């Protein structure tokens, strides 16, 4: 099986949402938490502000999208393993000085199952 974590961090209170070095540090921290390694990484700096960061990791991928003007961050993390710790979310919330976050862990079926199409 595989799992995907989606999380949004709200009311982020620091200027790091437009700092690619900080975003890379956060991504590396998350990848360490799930016991993986970064294979390749890339990013795009939007003008005037905002970042999209994506990394291919040994277990799949991570993406971080920032909206500094809205003080919001979206995190997507996909892993091809069932062992998927999510106990790092409070730490990431603190790193971003966010007031709150919402998250959802999704089981991704790797074989076709009877599901409702969207």
């Amino acid at each position: 099986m595989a799992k995907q974590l989606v999380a949004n961090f709200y009311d982020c209170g620091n200027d790091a949402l437009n700092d690619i070095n900080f975003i890379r540090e956060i991504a590396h921290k998350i990848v360490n938490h799930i016991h993986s390694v970064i294979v390749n990484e890339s990013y795009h700096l939007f003008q005037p502000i905002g970042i999209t960061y994506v990394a291919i990791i040994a277990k799949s991928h991570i993406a971080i999208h920032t909206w500094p003007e809205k003080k919001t961050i979206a995190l997507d993390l996909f892993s091809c393993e069932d062992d998927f710790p999510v106990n790092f979310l409070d730490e990431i919330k603190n790193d971003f000085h966010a007031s709150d976050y919402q998250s959802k862990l999704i089981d991704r079926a790797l074989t076709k199952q009877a599901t409702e199409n969207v």
Side-chain angles (χ1 to χ4, degrees):
M1 298 306 293
K3 295 196 185 287
Q4 184 170 6
L5 173 69
V6 293
N8 293 335
F9 297 86
Y10 303 105
D11 296 320
C12 298
N14 61 10
D15 295 328
L17 278 65
N18 208 44
D19 180 345
I20 186 57
N21 293 321
F22 182 78
I23 298 301
R24 286 182 72 226
E25 286 177 26
I26 295 297
H28 286 239
K29 178 188 283 193
I30 292 169
V31 170
N32 285 335
H33 274 289
I34 66 165
H35 311 293
S36 192
V37 295
I38 292 177
V39 176
N40 197 359
E41 59 189 329
S42 186
Y43 62 88
H44 178 73
L45 304 175
F46 292 94
Q47 295 300 321
I49 55 176
I51 296 172
T52 290
Y53 167 92
V54 179
I56 305 300
I57 63 175
K59 293 181 180 183
S60 196
H61 72 267
I62 181 174
I64 299 174
H65 310 277
T66 73
W67 288 269
E69 72 278 16
K70 298 187 181 294
K71 298 182 178 183
T72 301
I73 294 169
L75 166 68
D76 299 311
L77 180 57
F78 190 92
S79 176
C80 297
E81 295 186 0
D82 279 335
D83 182 25
F84 197 91
V86 295
N87 57 344
F88 59 85
L89 289 173
D90 285 331
E91 183 178 342
I92 301 304
K93 175 185 172 241
N94 291 336
D95 289 341
F96 285 124
H97 303 282
S99 67
D100 198 10
Y101 71 90
Q102 291 179 314
S103 65
K104 182 175 185 176
L105 187 59
I106 303 164
D107 283 320
R108 301 291 301 264
L110 299 181
T111 58
K112 186 176 180 182
Q113 299 176 358
T115 60
E116 183 177 327
N117 291 329
V118 182

